[in-house]
Amino acid sequence: ITVFLFTSGIPLISKVGFSDFIFGKEWAPLADNPKYGIFPMIVTSLYVTALSVIIGVTIGLFTAIALYKFVPKKLVAPIKQMVNLLAGIPSVIYGLFGMTLIVPFMRDYVSNNGVGYGIASASVVLAIMILPTIVSVAYDALRSVDTAYYENALALGATKEQATFKVVLPAAKSGIFAGIVLSIGRALGETMAVIMVIGGSPEMPKSIFQSVRTMTGNIAMGAMELSGDALSALIATGATLLIFVLLINVAFSFLSGAAVK
């Protein structure tokens, strides 16, 4: 797959020009003078991923902590099972849920311009989709910490909350980092659900309540219709997305290593 992306995409980037492709702000592959700028899609992808991960990690991490020490033991297994069931729901169902509930809610009660489609709706949908990953990985990371850490903290006079948040949580941060990396990959690569709630206009995002388009959405929306250089531009977009994922993984590997030290 990597060889296919780079052998098919790099010639188009060379033909168009690296700066015009990566930093170009106009996507018009069917125009008389075609433009293949993907910078608006890059920015949108980063915005959606960042916002969804902030929401999802916040909710998921506190859920994992609650399951670890604060929820009655007889309720832990049922709650975990319900969270894990979220991973089995097809992404198109999430998109349908977003279209029928989240987008109208954003439009009527949150948006300042009467538009429900956009980064905000997509981020909420993605935040729900990454919850199983965050909760499962964070919970397992907390469970893997030696119970002596928690018990010794209590013996020294710490409260249950202090022992969990100030002792166990820092000891589990490498595993939690791994869950965040997996969540970023899921959010950055999600396509169908995002297409259904983000709008689809290849414009530079100026508001979280605006019809825009991600890199994955751009590929999916044009893959069945475009050919020639336009199709090569979509493949080059996929190569760019792959590089982004690799850079994020490398960056978080360094951060995780530094956190462990």
Side-chain angles (χ1 to χ4, degrees), residues 83-103:
V83 173
N84 290 335
L85 281 174
L86 293 174
I89 299 175
S91 59
V92 68
I93 303 300
Y94 281 104
L96 188 62
F97 168 76
M99 285 181 62
T100 55
L101 291 177
I102 295 177
V103 170

Side-chain angles (χ1 to χ4, degrees), residues 64-225:
I65 293 171
L67 292 173
Y68 174 65
K69 282 297 179 186
F70 299 98
V71 171
K73 290 186 177 180
K74 63 181 179 180
L75 296 179
V76 171
I79 293 174
K80 277 199 66 183
Q81 187 62 32
M82 286 189 288
V83 173
N84 290 335
L85 281 174
L86 293 174
I89 299 175
S91 59
V92 68
I93 303 300
Y94 281 104
L96 188 62
F97 168 76
M99 285 181 62
T100 55
L101 291 177
I102 295 177
V103 170
F105 178 82
M106 290 289 183
R107 180 191 63 221
D108 297 336
Y109 300 104
V110 182
S111 174
N112 58 0
N113 59 6
V115 177
Y117 291 97
I119 293 172
S121 296
S123 298
V124 172
V125 171
L126 283 178
I128 299 172
M129 296 181 71
I130 66 176
L131 277 178
T133 302
I134 289 291
V135 174
S136 297
V137 175
Y139 180 74
D140 290 340
L142 292 169
R143 289 286 302 274
S144 67
V145 176
D146 193 335
T147 55
Y149 283 75
Y150 180 79
E151 293 169 354
N152 290 341
L154 294 180
L156 291 171
T159 65
K160 186 177 181 179
E161 291 77 11
Q162 289 173 331
T164 302
F165 284 93
K166 294 186 177 182
V167 178
V168 178
L169 188 61
K173 57 188 174 185
S174 61
I176 294 171
F177 266 120
I180 294 174
V181 172
L182 292 173
S183 299
I184 289 175
R186 174 71 191 276
L188 193 58
E190 179 54 44
T191 305
M192 180 56 68
V194 174
I195 288 176
M196 297 174 71
V197 297
I198 203 167
S201 300
E203 301 176 355
M204 180 64 72
K206 298 177 181 178
S207 167
I208 60 174
F209 304 107
Q210 172 193 350
S211 177
V212 285
R213 185 185 299 184
T214 61
M215 286 189 283
T216 55
N218 191 48
I219 295 170
M221 293 174 72
M224 301 300 293
E225 302 175 358

